[in-house]
Amino acid sequence: MTEMFKNLIAGEWAGGTNASRNINPSDTNDVVGEYAQGTVDQLNDAVAAAKAAFPAWSRSGPQERYEILKKASDEVFARKEELGRLLSREEGKTLAEGIGEAGRAGQVLAFFAGEALRLTGEMLPSVRPGVGVEITREPMGIIGMITPWNFPIAIPAWKIAPALAYGNCVVIKPADLVPGSAWALVDILHRAGLPKGVLNLVMGRGSVVGQALLQHKDVHAISFTGSVATGRKVAEACIASSPMKKVQLEMGGKNPLVVLDDADLKIAVECAVQGAFFSTGQRCTASSRLIVQAGIHDKFVEACVERMKGLTIDDALKAGTHIGPVVDQSQLDQDLKYIQIAKDEGGKLVWGGELLNRETPGFYLQPALFTETTNAMRISREEVFGPVANIIRVKDYEEALSVANDTEFGLSSGICTTSLKHATHFKRNAEAGMVMVNLATAGVDYHVPFGGRKGSSYGPREQGAYAKEFYTTVKTAYTLA
Ligand code: NAD
């Protein structure tokens, strides 16, 4: 019998009126579990529970928050193989990537356990003699979280952990496509000793549960990760609500990787193939635009194709698989649509793009690489969010930088070069929140800020100590001595 997973509201597990089946994209006959679809009433109950829990939790000491987050981190580490397997089974990234992501969630929880103990304020004299000024940080209140399907445990962890560390209460709605990993994380935190109502999970559709969360008057802030189209709706709803909500949006990318003539070819190919196609290209930081200088262009294309020929695309859980399936039929349709668009625009498909049959029915797509593309084509301007990349040939560094920055996105930007001059100039002039030199555009640390510019991000950064900019609010107190 398929297991049924419920919502967590006020410390109790509650079924929804409906359930959705979580399907394994490597084998569509395999049902990971049935997950409750929350109702608007349940969402309202979850916010009410968070509101009731807030006075005590916001005044709880940092020691209690440290202990709960540390305990949860220890359990995540102890179960990282099992959690990684669940993640790969529901999302389709390889087992190594799934276990790596589960480990990342453990690291994030441990980091913010420590951050709970490190929150500081300032005390300074007033410009008025005899008056003192204190600047402190207080929790924001009740935080609503809406997360995407491509990092099913890391993203919920990097939102929930800082929220709890700084004394907020949480209502999270994970992606309806892959709720299993978020469910497991919430279960771990709940059993680690969180008082009831501090962390609530309501699964279900964005248009139902997500909308109700955005419109609820008692929610003070929304942390969202997902597409630009949904992000815009989230921001509009946060501004339209009364009182207005604080909002943080992490959205799409069309991340450039520049390869200059003087690049180490091996490093450049590894950065390109890893960055563009691993995790099935389903990363907001994926290198989808490869901007390559004319002198190295042909060698680079040939070496990339050789490297791609050696990739095994198969069941995410199988040993030896380098790239798992696309997450579902609708994302696969989108990938195939963009492959056709690139062909119609005059791009030359030099490798891949074929649907693949494997032992089990799944959404298997051979990574696709296009050459002879320009930065004006749709394939260069719109996020595909799949294993599809295109190469744009440029004459020199100046053109490469200008093409890299000519996009409405600005999440991650990379360069492969052995020139200190160009690397330094690129770091200063790339219009992106994250810049990589001789590294893939995807792959970041958890103790430093994560986020972008332009159309990719809105509001304060996530992760590292910078997370407090979103999860706390500053108070300035004046005292006449
Ligand atoms: P999506 O925008 O379709 O959905 C994201 C979340 O929003 C889901 O939980 C969904 O149910 C919810 N949602 C949908 N409609 C809603 C509505 N009207 N009101 C409230 N909530 C609603 O995105 P996705 O397909 O899950 O994820 C892929 C996207 O996420 C890509 O664009 C990718 O680049 C982006 N992403 C960005 C980052 C980052 O940090 N910048 C990280 C991962 C993914």
Side-chain angles (χ1 to χ4, degrees):
M1 215 182 83
T2 314
E3 210 175 334
M4 172 75 175
F5 296 88
K6 298 180 174 176
N7 294 316
L8 183 68
I9 299 166
E12 306 290 336
W13 294 106
T17 43
N18 286 313
S20 87
R21 302 171 92 203
N22 185 353
I23 304 289
N24 177 353
S26 299
D27 176 1
T28 53
N29 293 321
D30 176 31
V31 181
V32 178
E34 300 262 355
Y35 288 80
Q37 291 270 296
T39 61
V40 171
D41 284 347
Q42 285 185 320
L43 186 277
N44 292 337
D45 290 347
V47 176
K51 189 177 179 183
F54 183 69
W57 180 248
S58 59
R59 286 179 177 75
S60 63
Q63 185 63 27
E64 182 181 353
R65 297 181 208 154
Y66 165 83
E67 281 169 11
I68 292 171
L69 289 169
K70 179 68 173 55
K71 194 170 170 196
S73 162
D74 290 346
E75 182 172 339
V76 169
F77 280 128
R79 292 175 52 200
K80 102 180 162 172
E81 270 78 18
E82 173 211 335
L83 293 168
R85 179 168 285 273
L86 166 68
L87 197 165
S88 297
R89 195 172 153 215
E90 70 172 348
E91 199 267 353
K93 62 182 69 173
T94 64
L95 190 52
E97 290 169 333
I99 294 171
E101 188 182 329
R104 174 53 56 98
Q107 290 167 328
V108 167
L109 290 165
F111 177 83
F112 284 106
E115 284 298 282
L117 297 165
R118 282 191 284 264
L119 192 62
T120 57
E122 288 173 67
M123 193 178 264
L124 58 160
S126 163
V127 291
R128 288 169 284 169
V131 173
V133 183
E134 286 162 51
I135 303 168
T136 51
R137 287 184 178 270
E138 296 184 354
M140 273 302 300
I142 297 158
I143 316 276
M145 298 173 182
I146 299 177
T147 57
W149 51 261
N150 65 326
F151 284 97
I153 195 163
I155 293 180
W158 81 51
K159 292 186 191 298
I160 294 172
L164 297 179
Y166 300 127
N168 300 282
C169 291
V170 172
V171 178
I172 180 165
K173 188 213 88 64
D176 27 349
L177 202 53
V178 293
S181 301
W183 188 96
L185 177 69
V186 168
D187 172 52
I188 289 169
L189 279 157
H190 170 57
R191 285 185 295 94
L194 281 176
K196 66 177 189 180
V198 170
L199 173 61
N200 304 273
L201 169 77
V202 187
M203 299 174 286
R205 301 194 67 80
S207 53
V208 180
V209 178
Q211 272 300 316
L213 187 58
L214 296 177
Q215 281 158 6
H216 202 297
K217 66 175 180 28
D218 291 335
V219 173
H220 302 100
I222 296 284
S223 180
F224 168 85
T225 303
S227 63
V228 175
T230 311
R232 193 174 293 282
K233 286 188 206 160
V234 169
E236 283 166 3
C238 288
I239 298 306
S241 75
S242 186
M244 291 181 206
K245 296 178 185 12
K246 190 173 181 179
V247 62
Q248 169 183 64
L249 311 172
E250 284 301 341
M251 300 170 286
K254 196 73 207 176
N255 308 289
L257 177 73
V258 169
V259 178
L260 296 184
D261 282 350
D262 63 15
D264 177 315
L265 185 63
K266 225 171 138 196
I267 291 177
V269 169
E270 210 43 43
C271 288
V273 172
Q274 274 274 353
F277 305 122
F278 278 59
S279 298
T280 323
Q282 296 172 155
R283 293 185 285 194
C284 49
T285 48
S287 323
S288 48
R289 287 185 303 142
L290 307 172
I291 301 163
V292 183
Q293 204 175 347
I296 198 172
H297 180 276
D298 294 356
K299 271 187 289 181
F300 175 79
V301 172
E302 197 185 319
C304 280
V305 170
E306 269 319 296
R307 178 77 174 87
M308 291 172 77
K309 283 180 182 167
L311 295 174
T312 303
I313 295 98
D314 207 333
D315 189 318
L317 297 176
K318 254 192 197 169
T321 295
H322 297 115
I323 294 177
V326 172
V327 72
D328 74 347
Q329 185 64 52
S330 96
Q331 182 61 51
L332 182 62
D333 292 344
Q334 176 161 313
D335 298 349
L336 294 171
K337 182 185 92 179
Y338 274 104
I339 289 171
Q340 191 55 49
I341 287 171
K343 285 181 187 166
D344 294 346
E345 288 178 313
K348 182 176 164 200
L349 182 63
V350 288
W351 183 254
E354 297 294 319
L355 286 175
L356 301 170
N357 286 317
R358 292 294 177 255
E359 267 172 44
T360 48
F363 308 109
Y364 297 107
L365 176 64
Q366 200 174 32
L369 182 65
F370 284 92
T371 59
E372 313 308 324
T373 62
T374 70
N375 203 41
M377 293 177 177
R378 282 182 70 190
I379 194 66
S380 298
R381 307 213 74 82
E382 298 169 23
E383 185 184 48
V384 179
F385 216 54
V388 182
N390 60 296
I391 296 181
I392 302 163
R393 191 196 302 248
V394 291
K395 63 178 184 308
D396 54 20
Y397 168 74
E398 285 69 29
E399 188 185 357
L401 176 66
S402 146
V403 170
N405 286 339
D406 178 15
T407 169
E408 67 181 64
F409 296 105
L411 190 55
S412 184
S413 192
I415 187 165
C416 290
T417 179
T418 50
S419 153
L420 181 61
K421 179 179 138 194
H422 287 141
T424 307
H425 190 271
F426 191 80
K427 276 191 277 184
R428 292 205 183 122
N429 293 284
E431 293 168 4
M434 296 173 292
V435 185
M436 313 290 175
V437 178
N438 294 320
L439 289 166
T441 56
V444 296
D445 288 0
Y446 63 89
H447 65 309
V448 289
F450 175 92
R453 294 185 187 176
K454 302 201 278 189
S456 290
S457 300
Y458 184 86
R461 288 283 186 267
E462 299 204 88
Q463 302 200 58
Y466 282 70
K468 64 173 164 294
E469 300 302 333
F470 181 73
Y471 291 104
T472 66
T473 180
V474 168
K475 180 177 275 175
T476 312
Y478 296 88
T479 310
L480 179 62

